Amino acid sequence: MQERAVWFPTISGAVRLANLAAHPWASLVVMRGDGPDHVMVMLEGPTEVMDGAAAEVASAAARYGREPAWATAWIRMTQEKIFSYAGDGARQ
C-alpha cells in the first residue's frame, strides 16, 4: 500500500542497500526528550529499493516536495508495525 510508505533517499552503492537486499526489512525510530518527557515512535516493515528514475519515486516527490538532487536510489518502507510511547511528563 503505497500511501502508507515511508521513503528514504540514499545513494547507489550504499552499504544499507546491500543489507536490505539480503534482509528487506527495516525499523525507523524517532525520539525526542528524555526521562519523563521522553516521546518515541517506531515503525517496522518490509522495504524495497527503488531506482531514482522509477515512476513511484517521481510520484512520491511530487506529493511531498522536490526530490533531493543527490539521491540516486530510494528505499521505500511499508510499515506493518507502529509503536509509540510518551512518558508521563510528555505534553500530549
Side-chain angles (χ1 to χ4, degrees):
M1 186 182 280
Q2 187 172 348
E3 62 271 3
R4 291 180 47 190
V6 178
W7 293 79
F8 304 97
T10 189
I11 57 172
S12 300
V15 172
R16 69 180 55 95
L17 298 179
N19 292 340
L20 290 173
H23 305 284
W25 186 270
S27 296
L28 169 67
V29 177
V30 179
M31 299 186 310
R32 187 190 68 173
D34 54 16
D37 297 328
H38 180 82
V39 178
M40 181 272 288
V41 175
M42 180 175 69
L43 308 173
E44 292 185 345
T47 61
E48 182 179 0
V49 176
M50 310 293 290
D51 181 275
E56 293 91 341
V57 170
S59 176
R63 281 197 312 273
Y64 301 113
R66 67 180 176 85
E67 181 178 343
W70 56 267
T72 55
W74 286 78
I75 300 166
R76 178 173 66 192
M77 181 181 76
T78 305
Q79 63 268 20
E80 289 185 354
K81 298 179 182 182
I82 301 173
F83 176 77
S84 64
Y85 170 82
D88 292 337
R91 293 192 308 220
Q92 308 261 339

